[in-house]
Structure formats: structure tokens, C-alpha cells
Amino acid sequence: MIKDAGHTFLPLYSPKLNPIEKQWAHAKQIRCSTHCSIDALFFITVLELVCYRIQKIR
């Protein structure tokens, strides 16, 4: 019945199926390559998001 409704069962831990895990991996890669702090990484991410939204509005 559940499969007929279009739902699928996921394993308990499935990072490859979770899109946010790809973002975390990318953030960790940037942090390791630039040796920046978590706060700096967060600030850069928020700044990029704001710039993206401003460009999208235009």
C-alpha cells in the first residue's frame, strides 16, 4: 500500500540520497582548502545567498 502511494523506504543512514549532505561536503571542502573558521564560512554562505536572491529579483 505504501509503495502504491509512491513512497519509498530509505535506509536509516543514506547520505547519498539526502541533498543537504552534498552541501555539507562542499562546505567542509571549502573550509579545509581555505583554512577559514566556521563563522567565516557561514558568513560567506549567507552573503552568497543574499547576493543570489538579489540577482534573482532583478
Side-chain angles (χ1 to χ4, degrees), residues 11-54:
L12 294 176
Y13 182 68
S14 53
K16 291 182 181 177
L17 301 176
N18 189 351
I20 195 67
E21 292 294 336
K22 293 178 185 176
Q23 296 298 322
W24 280 118
H26 184 67
K28 287 185 222 175
Q29 181 184 17
I30 292 170
R31 184 168 182 242
C32 287
S33 66
T34 61
H35 304 290
C36 69
S37 69
I38 293 173
D39 291 334
L41 183 62
F42 178 75
F43 177 75
I44 291 167
T45 305
V46 170
L47 186 59
E48 286 178 352
L49 180 62
V50 169
C51 291
Y52 172 76
R53 292 205 176 184
I54 289 172

